[in-house]
Each structure stands twice: as C-alpha cells, then as structure tokens.
C-alpha cells in the first residue's frame, strides 16, 4: 500500500508518499480503509523532531482520519466490517489512576497516534477499537476526517477545563486555525460573547461566519488594547491561547479579574515570562489542556455529526502532495483544516 512517511526529521523535503508495509491487525484492532484525513500542527512538530517527539522510523504521520472498517481483530466487539469510523488519536496506558478514573488524556504515559505512534495518513491503517468513533452515513468523509482532534481539544478546553458558562466573555486567539475555529463555534454555542483574533480581515470574516461577536486583527492592532477598549477596560473571562510566547503576556493583560487563560499548545514557543505578579494580583488561572476523554469526544462529535458545528476546510489534496499541505499550515495560508486523501480516492 501507499503511505505518507519520512525516514528522518527535517524540512518538508523529507516527506514522501511511497510503498509501505500492510499493517498487521492486532487482537483489539480494526483495519480501516482510509477515505480522508486532516493535518494538524503536531504533524509539523513531529516532522521537525522537537524534543520528546522521537517516533520509530520510517514514521507515518496523521492524527485525523476517517474510513470504512475492512477487518476486525478477534477481541473487537464494537465494530463490524463495513462500519464508518473516525479516529480519536489519544492513547492511554489503561492502568494508571487517571485511566482508571476515565480520564485517559491525563494518563502519565499518554501517547498520540501520528505523533508518538504510527499515524493514519495511508491507504489503510490498523487502529485500536477504543480509538474509533462511529460516523453516521450522511456525514461527508472530509468532515469526518477533519473534526475529531480539533473539536475534542477545543471542547475540553472550554467546557471542561475553563468551565465556561453562558453570558461569559471569551477571546479566541488564532481563530482562523483548526482549534481556533472550533473554539469560536463551541464558545458561541455555549452562550458566550466571543472575541476572535486573527491575522487578516479575510480570516476574521470566516471567524464571523463561525459565530464570533467581535473581530480583532492582531497584525494591525494590539489585541490586549482592543479587548480593554471593547470591554470598557474590564477584560474577558476566558482566553483561548495555543500560540504561546508571542501572545502570552497580552493574553494575561486581556483577562478580567479572576479570569482564566486556557492553553493546549505553544506554536511560537513554550517558555514566556511567567507574569506571576499579574497572575496573583488579578487572581488569574493559567490552565493546561490536551485532547479529551472518550465521553467528551463523543459529546462534541455528536454536535459535528448533526451539523451544529462545522469543520471548515480550506483545501483537499492527494496524499502525494502532503508537503504542500504542510506548507499551507506553516505559512498560515487560508482558514480552517487542510485535508489529504489517498491518491486512489481522487
């Protein structure tokens, strides 16, 4: 079969779409005929080889995909041949206190398919049945293959970790990206007043279409100053920040007294100045979050499947053009998700 892969870390030139061994199906695994999958920024970090991300080579990336069940292992009970499924990429150990309590995303040995483990951007992939979610017949493959990671991440950030309530105010940074545009939709659905920040007016128009109430171009204005002006110097209750060093200080400045900054990543760097004086004086909370529990993933994806939430797709490419897909993300071209499909699906 064909698969996206790389044999060493590096720039986009290390990516190939080439022959790869057929996957072996374990006792609790399901073999999927992959129809579509989406890229995430973690695909870029994995390719570059950041500390702590050292998968076995050659490595197949991809933490988002959907397809049809071709075969099931002898211990599989939830799926049958012909079922439509989507991947939920987080893998817990199943033994630690967090896994026993049902929160695998807190697992001390947590790993992600496509990042630490072989991914699913291939013609076929073997996946543990616990990492699969049923997909209704009327959901397009591009939607099913691009929704799971960003929507479950944004849902856990806002609904679980930040405990967002109706009537609160939320600033979403990077509102044109995968997690960002999911967060805008989820916050609006929760009854919050949503402030969306992005780098171009075109991207902000997409954020407006997703339900944002206020739009801030952070290339032409300081977003913390804009928030103070728009809120009468109060600030917002919650900031969604997955950008990191470049935005962290202004994110703290954007918060109201007792506000919460929730983060799931740091695309511009993980080590900003702590800002402890602002944190303790304004009694702020800085909250980390990653992925979601199976129950949280089911909750948010049911709202994707019924059309309440919509993954916005900027481009669909054959897997042989995955390097171009990486380029779109790295250069921040466009709005929403970049989807890749096996060349045989074109």
């Amino acid at each position: 079969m064909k698969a996206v892969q790389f044999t060493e870390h590096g720039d986009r030139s290390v990516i190939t779409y080439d022959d790869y061994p057929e996957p072996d199906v374990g006792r609790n695994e399901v073999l999927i005929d992959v129809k579509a999958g989406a890229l995430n920024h973690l695909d870029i970090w994995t390719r570059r080889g950041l500390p702590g991300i050292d998968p076995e080579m050659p490595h197949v990336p991809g933490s988002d995909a959907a397809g049809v069940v071709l075969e099931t292992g002898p211990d599989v009970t939830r799926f049958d041949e012909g079922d439509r499924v989507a991947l939920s990429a987080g893998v817990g150990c199943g033994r630690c206190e967090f896994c026993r309590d049902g929160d695998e995303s807190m697992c001390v040995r947590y790993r992600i398919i496509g990042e630490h483990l072989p991914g699913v951007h291939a013609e076929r992939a073997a996946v543990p049945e616990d990492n699969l979610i049923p997909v209704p017949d009327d959901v397009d493959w591009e939607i099913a293959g691009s929704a799971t990671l960003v929507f479950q991440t944004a849902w856990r950030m806002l609904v679980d970790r930040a405990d967002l309530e109706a009537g609160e105010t939320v600033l979403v940074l990077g509102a044109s990206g995968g997690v960002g545009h999911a967060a805008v939709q989820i916050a609006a659905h929760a009854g919050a007043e949503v402030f969306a920040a992005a780098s171009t007016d075109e991207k902000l128009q997409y954020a407006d279409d997703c339900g944002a109430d206020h739009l801030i171009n952070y290339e032409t204005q300081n977003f913390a100053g804009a928030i103070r002006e728009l809120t009468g110097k109060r600030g917002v209750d919650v900031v969604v920040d997955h950008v990191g060093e470049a935005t962290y200080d202004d994110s703290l400045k954007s918060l109201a007294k007792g506000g919460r900054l929730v983060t799931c990543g740091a695309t511009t760097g993980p080590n900003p100045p702590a800002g402890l004086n602002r944190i303790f004086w304004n009694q702020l909370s800085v909250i980390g979050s990653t992925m979601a529990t199976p129950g949280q993933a089911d909750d948010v994806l049911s709202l994707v499947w019924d059309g309440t939430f919509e993954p916005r797709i900027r481009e669909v490419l054959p897997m042989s053009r995955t390097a171009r897909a990486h380029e779109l993300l790295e250069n921040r071209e466009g709005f929403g998700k970049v989807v890749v499909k096996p060349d045989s699906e074109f």
Side-chain angles (χ1 to χ4, degrees):
M1 71 169 188
K2 298 286 188 181
V4 179
Q5 57 195 284
F6 51 83
T7 58
E8 60 181 332
H9 297 297
D11 60 21
R12 295 189 294 270
S13 67
V14 303
I15 302 168
T16 64
Y17 183 63
D18 210 341
D19 292 332
Y20 192 81
E22 290 283 347
D24 295 322
V25 183
R27 297 191 63 85
N28 69 339
E29 291 186 328
V30 171
L31 181 66
I32 303 169
D33 179 19
V34 175
K35 299 298 184 182
L39 271 75
N40 298 280
H41 274 282
L42 64 82
D43 292 303
I44 294 172
W45 310 138
T46 304
R47 187 203 80 216
R48 291 177 179 173
L50 293 181
I53 305 178
D54 190 24
E56 183 178 343
M57 298 292 182
H59 178 68
V60 175
S63 302
D64 265 329
V68 177
V69 174
L70 293 175
E71 180 184 338
T72 61
D75 293 341
V76 170
T77 59
R78 296 175 53 229
F79 298 102
D80 295 308
E81 183 179 337
D83 286 349
R84 293 162 53 94
V85 293
L87 175 73
S88 181
V91 179
C93 70
R95 299 183 299 276
C96 70
E97 60 179 299
F98 302 104
C99 287
R100 292 196 301 270
D101 289 341
D103 195 349
E104 292 90 338
S105 67
M106 296 279 284
C107 176
V108 296
R109 301 175 186 85
Y110 196 69
R111 296 177 296 171
I112 297 176
I113 293 169
E115 184 176 6
H116 312 94
L117 302 171
V120 290
H121 287 175
E123 290 183 311
R124 290 172 288 282
V127 176
E129 70 166 331
D130 289 344
N131 289 95
L132 294 174
I133 297 170
V135 176
D137 290 342
D138 60 347
V139 175
D140 291 341
W141 287 124
E142 289 83 359
I143 296 294
S146 62
T148 56
L149 192 145
V150 294
F151 275 90
Q152 69 174 286
T153 298
W155 182 269
R156 180 177 175 87
M157 290 175 76
L158 287 167
V159 175
D160 179 72
R161 301 291 288 145
D163 198 21
L164 181 66
E165 296 182 357
E168 290 194 302
T169 49
V170 179
L171 167 63
V172 179
L173 299 178
S176 64
V179 170
H181 90 296
V184 169
Q185 294 180 62
I186 291 167
H189 179 73
E193 184 178 359
V194 183
F195 299 75
S199 60
T200 70
D201 290 341
E202 181 184 12
K203 292 177 181 179
L204 287 171
Q205 182 57 55
Y206 282 110
D208 182 61
D209 293 341
C210 286
D213 299 293
H214 308 277
L215 308 175
I216 302 169
N217 185 326
Y218 57 68
E219 292 291 341
T220 61
Q221 58 184 321
N222 174 264
F223 70 82
I227 288 293
R228 290 292 168 183
E229 181 178 347
L230 290 167
T231 62
K233 299 184 179 181
R234 177 187 181 274
V236 296
D237 298 300
V238 176
V239 173
V240 175
D241 186 343
H242 50 86
V243 182
E245 289 181 13
T247 55
Y248 176 81
D249 184 57
D250 280 334
S251 290
L252 293 182
K253 291 178 182 178
S254 300
L255 287 169
K257 287 274 191 175
R260 295 98 75 195
L261 187 159
V262 60
T263 178
C264 67
T267 56
T268 62
N271 297 307
L276 293 179
N277 56 337
R278 187 179 297 275
I279 289 172
F280 69 69
W281 188 251
N282 290 334
Q283 302 187 53
L284 308 178
S285 298
V286 178
I287 304 167
S289 185
T290 188
M291 303 294 282
T293 68
Q296 291 162 356
D298 288 340
D299 287 344
V300 68
L301 288 173
S302 68
L303 295 171
V304 175
W305 304 154
D306 72 10
T308 301
F309 300 142
E310 180 187 355
R312 302 300 177 94
I313 297 171
R314 73 180 88 169
E315 194 152 353
V316 179
L317 297 168
M319 286 185 180
S320 59
R321 297 193 64 203
T322 294
R324 170 57 180 157
H326 278 237
E327 183 180 26
L328 286 166
L329 266 64
E330 288 181 299
N331 293 343
R332 299 191 303 165
E333 298 179 38
F335 175 91
K337 301 287 289 180
V338 178
V339 173
V340 292
K341 300 168 69 173
D343 286 37
S344 56
E345 293 294 323
F346 276 83

